[in-house]
Amino acid sequence: MKKAVEFPEMVQKLAEMYAPGETYFVAWGDSDYKVLNTACKRYKIANPIREEDYLDFAAAYKFMKGDNYTTGLKAATEEQDVDTAGLWHTAFDDANNTGKLLRKLVEKGWTPEKYLASTTPDTGSTDK
């Protein structure tokens, strides 16, 4: 904690890595975007991540499997034989393991674009 950056600096670093419409903010579940948005409001700084670039990977995984329930991150990584690390339900380790699962599924041919196209009503828009 003593070496951590302050929240506004972290948001600035996030903004530098993010290209609207070209990158996704990926997390397991919908809470991370809500937390980021709430904290940005608290600090009175703009949230650099557009909501349409947020990818709830738990919902994507549920859709990919055709399930009626949301699989937990641990179970999903086990199902996909992902080599996980760290402690479950800790921010860094869950983010790291989500990234490993994402990489594994992309290697198998899954893409965010295919998922988003299959879940978004066709509005005739050519965005993304």
Side-chain angles (χ1 to χ4, degrees):
M1 294 297 290
K2 292 179 182 180
K3 294 181 181 181
V5 298
E6 296 290 327
F7 182 79
E9 182 182 349
M10 183 277 302
V11 171
Q12 179 59 39
K13 288 179 184 286
L14 188 60
E16 291 168 5
M17 293 186 290
Y18 169 69
E22 296 178 26
T23 54
Y24 295 101
F25 183 88
V26 180
W28 195 262
D30 63 359
S31 296
D32 290 334
Y33 186 82
K34 292 175 185 177
V35 169
L36 175 63
N37 207 39
T38 300
C40 285
K41 288 176 184 175
R42 184 176 300 131
Y43 279 86
K44 297 179 174 54
I45 57 177
N47 181 347
I49 309 297
R50 300 182 323 173
E51 191 169 6
E52 58 267 27
D53 290 338
Y54 180 72
L55 179 64
D56 175 350
F57 199 38
Y61 190 76
K62 174 182 173 180
F63 184 82
M64 181 191 83
K65 287 180 55 179
D67 284 343
N68 293 325
Y69 61 90
T70 302
T71 303
L73 178 58
K74 183 177 181 183
T77 58
E78 289 170 352
E79 289 171 1
Q80 297 300 321
D81 196 29
V82 173
D83 184 23
T84 59
L87 300 172
W88 294 106
H89 305 292
T90 60
F92 178 81
D93 292 334
D94 281 359
N96 188 35
N97 290 324
T98 298
K100 288 178 177 184
L101 177 61
L102 175 63
R103 182 178 299 125
K104 181 100 172 204
L105 292 179
V106 167
E107 288 170 359
K108 290 181 173 184
W110 182 89
T111 68
E113 293 80 13
K114 287 179 191 173
Y115 164 67
L116 294 170
S118 65
T119 60
T120 305
D122 185 11
T123 59
S125 172
T126 58
D127 293 346
K128 287 204 178 185

